């Protein structure tokens, strides 16, 4: 009797193997041969699921986005009741900064997603960018006294308050630059300095 194969499970295993490849070699390492070797498969077996490198990388990028959401969203959404509003929001934003080994991994994964989107622009725009802008928009809205958005997907829409949109853009740009400096020049941007700069900007956004 032929052995039944759980194809969804096998694709999930491939996605996990590919994420390990990304963390070691970057998106360029996600090849049929490379992922097959990481997963312990033959290239022929992998080609049963993906006909070429484009299909493989497209699947891996989506799996990476889902992995990042599973990892980051629970941390962002955990209740925060201590400290000022600025302090509470700062701890949310810091989940997007590569301040420890886990978040440095996530930064590398986001970078791979961005690299893919740069090569293959999504029809509806960058998923990574929209996810991050939605988070920054929610943070600025909270600082300016607005209730959090409850409807799924609504946070990706422009806020009716133009100042929220302005500061969300400034915060998004600031955090991207801060994350880059933390990763690339950590001696010049230690965690304490990054925390101080972030809180200074958040204070200004309330004015």
């Amino acid at each position: 009797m032929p052995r039944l194969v759980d194809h969804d499970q096998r694709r999930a295993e491939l996605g996990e193997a590919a994420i390990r490849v990304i963390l070691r070699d970057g998106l360029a390492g996600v090849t049929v041969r490379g992922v097959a070797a990481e997963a312990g498969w033959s290239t022929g077996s992998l080609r049963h699921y993906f006909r070429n490198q484009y299909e493989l990388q497209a699947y891996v990028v989506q799996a990476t986005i889902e992995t990042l959401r599973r990892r980051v969203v629970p941390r962002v959404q955990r209740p925060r009741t201590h400290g000022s509003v600025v302090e509470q929001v700062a701890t949310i934003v810091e989940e997007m900064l590569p301040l420890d080994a886990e978040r440095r991994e996530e930064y590398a994964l986001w970078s791979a997603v961005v690299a893919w989107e740069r090569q293959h622009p999504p029809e509806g725009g960058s998923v990574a960018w929209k996810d991050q802008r939605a988070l920054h928009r929610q943070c600025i809205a909270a600082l300016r006294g607005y209730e959090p958005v409850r409807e799924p997907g609504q946070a990706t829409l422009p806020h009716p308050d133009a100042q929220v949109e302005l500061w969300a853009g400034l915060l998004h740009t600031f955090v991207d630059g801060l994350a880059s400096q933390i990763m690339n020049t950590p001696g010049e941007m230690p965690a304490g300095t990054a925390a101080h700069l972030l809180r200074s900007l958040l204070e200004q956004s309330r004015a």
Side-chain angles (χ1 to χ4, degrees):
M1 186 174 185
R3 185 163 58 93
L4 295 177
V5 177
D6 186 334
H7 293 290
D8 289 340
Q9 177 62 32
R10 299 204 78 183
R11 287 175 71 92
E13 290 171 3
L14 284 173
E16 292 170 2
I19 286 173
R20 294 194 297 271
V21 172
I22 288 175
L23 291 173
R24 186 179 64 242
D25 304 322
L27 184 64
V30 180
T31 63
V32 171
R33 185 182 298 275
V35 174
E38 181 69 26
W41 292 23
S42 69
T43 55
S45 296
L46 193 145
R47 288 188 189 280
H48 176 74
Y49 294 89
F50 307 102
R51 292 174 297 178
N52 51 48
Q53 183 168 316
Y54 174 87
E55 286 190 1
L56 172 63
Q57 288 192 342
Y59 171 78
V60 168
V61 165
Q62 186 56 45
T64 301
I65 291 171
E66 292 169 1
T67 296
L68 285 165
R69 286 172 175 166
R70 286 197 304 270
R71 287 172 62 162
V72 176
V73 169
R75 299 201 314 259
V76 167
Q77 292 182 340
R78 67 179 173 82
R80 289 168 168 83
T81 57
H82 299 294
S84 66
V85 174
V86 167
E87 183 61 27
Q88 292 175 32
V89 169
T91 62
I92 293 173
V93 176
E94 283 173 340
E95 298 298 348
M96 303 298 294
L97 293 174
L99 295 171
D100 55 28
E102 181 178 16
R103 283 175 283 183
R104 285 192 291 274
E105 276 194 359
E106 291 161 1
Y107 183 88
L109 294 176
W110 277 121
S111 297
V113 172
V114 170
W116 168 262
E117 291 182 337
R118 186 168 58 248
Q119 297 168 19
H120 309 281
E123 187 173 331
S126 169
V127 175
W129 187 92
K130 287 180 179 178
D131 278 358
Q132 292 175 358
R133 178 57 62 89
L135 172 64
H136 298 314
R137 182 180 289 116
Q138 285 275 67
C139 287
I140 294 296
L143 285 171
R144 298 181 72 88
Y146 290 99
E147 289 295 318
V149 170
R150 302 297 182 188
E151 292 296 324
Q154 191 176 347
T156 63
L157 300 176
H159 197 278
D161 185 335
Q163 285 298 305
V164 169
E165 280 300 292
L166 172 64
W167 279 101
L170 291 171
L171 178 60
H172 190 172
T173 303
F174 174 84
V175 170
D176 277 357
L178 195 58
S180 176
Q181 289 189 25
I182 293 169
M183 282 293 289
N184 298 318
T185 54
E188 306 299 330
M189 185 52 66
T193 302
H196 174 71
L197 290 173
L198 173 60
R199 284 157 178 78
S200 297
L201 182 74
L202 293 177
E203 286 282 6
Q204 291 297 314
S205 74
R206 303 182 71 191

